[in-house]
Amino acid sequence: MASLAEVKAFRGEEREWEDRSWFPPGPQLAVCLSGDKNRLADLSDAELCERMAAARRQASWAQAQELAAIAELAARRHAQDEHHDPDYRVLSARESLLEEVSVALAVTGNAAATLVHLAERLTHQLPGTQEALQAGRIDLAKARAISDATDHLPDSLCARVEDTVLDGVEERTTGQLRGKIKRLVRRLAPAELEEQTRKTVKGRRLELWESGHGAAGLALIDIPADDATAVHNKLTAVAHGLKQDGDARLIDQIRADLALQLLRGIPLPEALHAPPVDAEPPASTPAVPDTSEEIGDSVAEMVGHAAQRRLEELRAHVEFHGRLADLPRLAARTVQDLHERLAPLRDTTCGHGKPGYRPPAALRRQIEARHATCVFPTCNRRSEHCDIDHTTPYGTRGTTCGCNLAPLCRRHHRTKQTTRTNETTGWRLFQPWPGVLIWITPAGTWHITLPSRQ
Ligand SMILES: [Zn+2]
Ligand SMILES: [Zn+2]
């Protein structure tokens, strides 16, 4: 087979992407890629393929930068973890780091944990993989596949596997990489593979996620492969049986319906005759507009914007004077100041003074309606399943009132508690206006949560 270069020589044309097809990623390639988008129409099919590959190399390079930044922040927080307070009410520096990454990238806590783990593995155990990502030889998905497949292996074996798998890595898909690593480990260290399986299965779980439009996903994760295959084979066999008896559903649909019936505790013979789960349009309840609440929300939005502006001014000021380390303290002071300046206005719009620590049921419902989820920026926990937290602790200056209450899940309740033990590196939470929650992270960045009422 002729090489790409020979084909090009034969074609004998001047192609725009010809010399750039194996350009290493970095600033220069970014310049090549940032040409006029409309000119894509002028490129040949082959050039388009080269361009997409070049764009992916550039993305891999950027992913390597992202992971390196995460690994650096992780190393700093680890240094702090040595002085970790074993108080169960507060987060360890490690847990706090995951929350910081979660808000910085607007990803879920789980996604942040996965990224931090990958960043640390590339830095400490898989330097070759990190290099390959940085050079655009592999993309993030492949880096993750290598990291996952070598997790729990002893360092020396991990290095050996990495060496072998990186040879010719450009040509392989993630699935091929996983297969190659598995075969390698089985050959080099069969006992390790068993150990790896045992450890993976320890993390077995049932996962539930919303997939939109009223549908959801439900999956058994990290269960033994043999069990998973056996269950799948059995469902498939039954589904084919039903299909032969004239069932009009797709095999996939029958399998899903059967699995659902069985998990609901309906025994097999009955489950076979259960009607298919066909989505019916959900009965929509018309939204009742509440004028006073809407006005309250628009004021909340104004306060949020004002806070955002003042904090941005503060950041510019601090950056100009090179005092970035002071940012967390100064940001907290700025928001505290805003809180105090709004006090007279809060007093007139808000009655305050519901006696007692526990909010009455009606007030609790009001708070849950104002924020549908935990008020941590990236948290999706429904407010009905949250604690109703006193933003300023009850008894000191905090009252049990809408202007000082907000839903926080257990985990983010603990995130907020880090302030108590560590004024300088903890998370700070303020509520300068009813429903406007301002978080100051340990790094001194901030995130403003406004009322989420829909
Ligand atoms: Zn109040
Ligand atoms: Zn939360």
Side-chain angles (χ1 to χ4, degrees), residues 223-246:
I223 56 173
D226 290 347
D227 290 344
T229 311
V231 170
H232 194 263
N233 286 350
K234 174 147 194 180
L235 287 174
T236 305
V238 177
H240 279 295
L242 285 177
K243 196 100 183 112
Q244 272 171 4
D245 290 346

Side-chain angles (χ1 to χ4, degrees), residues 439-454:
W439 292 88
I440 312 284
T441 75
T445 62
W446 51 83
H447 296 268
I448 301 175
T449 305
L450 293 174
S452 67
R453 192 185 288 120
Q454 289 130 10

Side-chain angles (χ1 to χ4, degrees), residues 350 352 401 403:
C350 196
H352 299 324
C401 175
C403 65

Side-chain angles (χ1 to χ4, degrees), residues 5 83 87 90 108 114 153 171 202 229 261 267 320 372-373 385 398 416 428 434:
H83 325 285
D87 186 344
V90 304
T108 63
T114 309
L153 292 182
E171 327 266 283
K202 273 201 170 151
T229 311
Q261 296 299 331
F320 181 77
T373 59
H385 306 303
K416 183 198 166 201
R428 315 287 307 266

Side-chain angles (χ1 to χ4, degrees), residues 238-279:
V238 177
H240 279 295
L242 285 177
K243 196 100 183 112
Q244 272 171 4
D245 290 346
D247 197 311
R249 289 172 292 175
L250 299 172
I251 290 288
D252 267 336
Q253 292 171 333
I254 301 177
R255 274 197 298 238
D257 289 353
L258 267 178
L260 188 60
Q261 296 299 331
L262 293 171
L263 283 171
R264 291 173 105 174
I266 296 163
L268 194 54
E270 276 170 67
L272 292 180
H273 305 298
V277 202
D278 274 326

